[in-house]
Amino acid sequence: MKIKIFSLVVISVIVLSFTIKTESGDEKNWNECVEKYNANWGEPCPDCTYNNDIFHVSFRNICEENVDVFVAVQESNKSWRCLYTENIAPKDTITAFACKGTGKYLYWVRKAGDREMELPTCDQVNIDYKE
């Protein structure tokens, strides 16, 4: 229960802290363009050597614009497995995973192709969010 509450708090802080300006000068929170629609444990994964603790989390672009998304999913050793996907079209989905997951995940979103807003690197996430 503590892990779920902590994950929700971390995600809420991230969503609230990352806003960028659109071309018209209006602020838009691009994190609101992506929603988690599924998370599950134990589904087989060809990148993992065992299937017991695999954690998958899936996201969907719910906005009208394409977005770039960076997702980090925590492994049981507290390191983060990262996925960066560019130009996700409206209604398209992505799935990230951890082979031996904790159930924690983080994500950052920006307008597709907007290089003015920097997304973190996997190294940065592993330093900043090591627990």
Side-chain angles (χ1 to χ4, degrees), residues 13-110:
V13 169
I14 290 168
V15 167
L16 291 174
S17 66
F18 283 90
T19 60
I20 64 172
K21 292 191 176 193
T22 62
E23 293 175 303
S24 67
D26 297 330
E27 290 196 15
K28 179 166 184 166
N29 185 340
W30 289 97
N31 281 354
E32 292 176 359
C33 286
V34 173
E35 71 174 359
K36 178 191 88 168
Y37 72 91
N38 191 23
N40 56 47
W41 292 90
E43 188 174 307
C45 179
D47 293 333
C48 300
T49 56
Y50 47 85
N51 291 327
N52 294 340
D53 297 326
I54 298 172
F55 177 71
H56 286 90
V57 59
S58 299
F59 300 91
R60 176 183 299 118
N61 178 359
I62 60 172
C63 283
E64 298 296 320
E65 302 92 355
N66 290 12
V67 294
D68 298 337
V69 179
F70 181 87
V71 179
V73 184
Q74 192 177 51
E75 296 280 2
S76 64
N77 67 1
K78 305 299 183 196
S79 68
W80 295 87
R81 182 181 293 265
C82 302
L83 170 70
Y84 173 63
T85 307
E86 293 182 313
N87 210 28
I88 301 170
K91 299 182 184 173
D92 277 358
T93 63
I94 60 169
T95 299
F97 69 94
C99 289
K100 198 166 187 173
T102 63
K104 294 180 184 177
Y105 60 89
L106 305 168
Y107 66 95
W108 293 261
V109 183
R110 69 180 179 200

